[in-house]
Amino acid sequence: MRDERRRPLVVHVVYITLLGLYATLIAVIVLSPNRVDGDGMGVYRILYGLYGWGLPRWITYQTVEVSANVIVMVPFGMLMALLLPRRLWWVAVIVCSAVSLSAEVVQALLPGRMPSASDWIANTAGGLAGAGIAVLFRAQKGAKVST
């Protein structure tokens, strides 16, 4: 019996559609002439307000920015890994890293945007996390099928 079970065509189409929509969202964010957080002052105001409510001071603007860069690539890495054969999940991580690196190169060419190696690393980590979620999802789904 083959380890790689064939998924229904409709599931495959849904994954491709979601991946396409998400890739479009990422492209809009990357190609925007402005940063997503504007000048960052809104984030600072929120953080300072939350500090008054007990938010630990180690959660800074940089912590929020890096976390956002990880989180933004989790769905991309997960959908990419779900589209690939199980044994090729790692290709999703490479694709996420390449997409992120390309985004940073494009941002270097846009006025008002700043490329960042830390964004690339955080995005790649998010892609890895997403691919890992897909691997766990498939493992659990396979365990349910075999029991």
Side-chain angles (χ1 to χ4, degrees):
M1 176 180 251
R2 288 179 54 196
D3 180 51
E4 193 66 34
R5 292 171 182 83
R6 298 199 50 103
R7 70 179 144 251
L9 180 61
V10 68
V11 173
H12 194 75
V13 170
V14 168
Y15 289 162
I16 290 173
T17 303
L18 289 173
L19 184 63
L21 290 171
Y22 203 76
T24 301
L25 174 65
I26 291 172
V28 167
I29 292 170
V30 168
L31 297 174
S32 170
N34 303 314
R35 292 171 35 144
V36 173
D37 62 349
D39 62 3
M41 292 311 295
V43 176
Y44 281 115
R45 281 192 289 278
I46 291 169
L47 282 173
Y48 286 119
L50 291 173
Y51 291 150
W53 286 85
L55 182 71
R57 294 278 178 170
W58 61 263
I59 300 177
T60 62
Y61 176 86
Q62 185 176 5
T63 307
V64 171
E65 182 184 24
V66 169
S67 299
N69 276 303
V70 170
I71 291 166
V72 77
M73 289 302 276
V74 169
F76 193 80
M78 183 180 74
L79 290 167
M80 182 66 63
L82 288 171
L83 281 168
L84 293 167
R86 286 178 195 239
R87 68 187 180 286
L88 295 178
W89 65 269
W90 54 270
V91 173
V93 180
I94 293 172
V95 170
C96 286
S97 184
V99 166
S100 178
L101 183 59
S102 299
E104 297 305 319
V105 169
V106 167
Q107 287 181 359
L109 304 172
L110 295 174
R113 299 301 298 266
M114 296 291 296
S116 166
S118 67
D119 288 357
W120 171 53
I121 293 167
N123 289 156
T124 301
L128 175 61
I133 291 168
V135 167
L136 292 173
F137 172 75
R138 282 179 157 174
Q140 181 188 24
K141 190 174 151 192
K144 285 183 180 179
V145 169
S146 64
T147 56

